[in-house]
Amino acid sequence: MRVSVDSGRCVCTGTCAFVAPQVFAIENHSELVVLRPEPDESLRDLVLDAEEQCPTGAIQVTG
Ligand code: SF4
C-alpha cells in the first residue's frame, strides 16, 4: 500500500491526522506530512477511513 497527498488539494483540516496519526501529521500548524508513505497492512483500515473522510479528496491510496 502506498499513500500520498496532493498538496494542491489539501486544505489542512487535520482530519486525516486525527483519524490515522500513525500515518499523517500536521506540522507547523499548516503543513500536512505523510509520516509513512508505505504503511503496514495493519493500518489499511485507518488509512482508508482517512481517505474517505478527507473533504477534498486529497489522499491517494494505491496497492
Ligand atoms: S483530511 Fe485531506 S484536507 Fe484534511 S489535512 Fe488530511 S489530506 Fe489535507
Side-chain angles (χ1 to χ4, degrees), residues 4-12 32 54 56-60:
S4 62
V5 170
D6 180 342
S7 57
R9 295 177 78 167
C10 173
V11 292
C12 282
L32 190 280
C54 175
T56 61
I59 299 172
Q60 288 100 43

